[in-house]
Amino acid sequence: MSGVTRLIVVRHGNTFNAGDVILRVGSATDLPLTEKGLLQGAAAGRALRDSGYQVDEICYAPLLRTRQSAEGIGESFPDAVMRSEEFLTELNYGQDDGQPEADVVLRLGIAAMRERITPQITLDALREAGKAALNAWDAEAVLPVGWEFLSGRAANLPGQWRDFATRWAAEHPGGTVAAVTSNGIARFSRALLPDGQAPEGSLKLSTGAFGVYEYDGGCWRCVAWNVRPAL
């Protein structure tokens, strides 16, 4: 599979077990992977190896969950260079970081509806507004009302992805790098694609899933997205 330069974007594995209270996990909430999450990292490595990829370098955000996932991938590529990459670090969700996801949904719903709240509005309606805001974030990287403080970081991420990919392609033509990150950062990798192109469906990556970008000297293209290997 030589001649084509590749960037593989990998989301870290699970940080919650079945039955756990799900939290909004940002950069301020440095959780370890669960047992299943550790298996997901190893499974991603095997899936890439079995697909014929030779990963030369594995970059990861300097958080425990991303480092552990990178180490799992590295089991299949023992010769790969391992290093941390700061821009891959998940967003800091401020007052929502580390809070129960149900509470975050409600707070974002209140923020979204703040100009239209009346005594008659129900909690269910506010929750639906919060869910819609998070769905837009997952599908189109549109920041919810209430997360405006993230606009600066979000504005910088497309350029950081392009710089990272351009540098890799220039320094390692025909090579493959895996970038292990979180969902909030992975979605901005679509900036590598020509205007008007994006992976089909949601920009969200499932835990333990990956997407593959290829560059043949012309432009980057996405050849796979949200591939979640079986355990």
Side-chain angles (χ1 to χ4, degrees):
M1 302 183 79
S2 61
V4 175
T5 304
R6 292 181 176 84
L7 165 58
I8 300 169
V9 181
V10 188
R11 183 181 176 185
H12 64 76
N14 284 7
T15 51
F16 297 103
N17 291 303
D20 287 349
V21 174
I22 305 300
L23 308 179
R24 169 61 46 170
V25 180
S27 62
T29 310
D30 196 6
L31 298 180
L33 297 179
T34 63
E35 182 176 351
K36 180 179 179 180
L38 293 169
L39 293 174
Q40 286 174 311
R46 290 195 301 272
L48 292 169
R49 182 194 62 202
D50 293 347
S51 295
Y53 297 112
Q54 175 54 54
V55 176
D56 304 294
E57 188 163 296
I58 303 172
C59 299
Y60 55 90
L63 293 169
L64 181 57
R65 57 189 179 271
T66 40
R67 178 174 59 78
Q68 288 179 318
S69 290
E71 290 169 348
I73 295 168
E75 292 173 7
S76 292
F77 302 101
D79 295 329
V81 174
M82 304 278 290
R83 66 179 178 87
S84 65
E85 182 74 40
E86 190 68 33
F87 95 92
L88 295 174
T89 304
E90 176 62 298
L91 302 170
N92 184 323
Y93 293 102
Q95 65 180 303
D96 290 328
D97 212 304
Q99 297 304 305
E101 191 72 5
D103 293 352
V104 175
V105 167
L106 180 58
R107 196 189 76 77
L108 292 179
I110 292 170
M113 299 286 288
R114 62 190 174 196
E115 303 296 333
R116 292 171 284 165
I117 290 179
T118 67
Q120 290 73 39
I121 198 165
T122 65
L123 286 176
D124 283 344
L126 293 172
R127 292 188 183 102
E128 286 304 312
K131 290 177 184 177
L134 287 174
N135 286 339
W137 171 235
D138 286 337
E140 302 173 36
V142 176
L143 280 171
V145 175
W147 283 356
E148 295 92 343
F149 62 92
L150 291 173
S151 60
R153 176 91 195 278
N156 288 333
L157 280 164
Q160 290 173 328
W161 273 112
R162 286 191 291 266
D163 289 347
F164 177 79
T166 298
R167 185 171 67 250
W168 176 262
E171 296 177 357
H172 306 277
T176 297
V177 59
V180 187
T181 186
S182 301
N183 193 45
I185 305 303
R187 72 194 67 208
F188 288 95
S189 64
R190 71 171 181 171
L192 301 179
L193 301 174
D195 290 344
Q197 294 188 22
E200 292 186 5
S202 175
L203 297 177
K204 183 175 182 178
L205 280 179
S206 301
T207 52
F210 62 84
V212 181
Y213 293 95
E214 293 185 344
Y215 179 75
D216 60 4
C219 61
W220 287 94
R221 61 193 182 101
C222 184
V223 298
W225 191 253
N226 203 30
V227 179
R228 197 179 198 190
L231 299 182

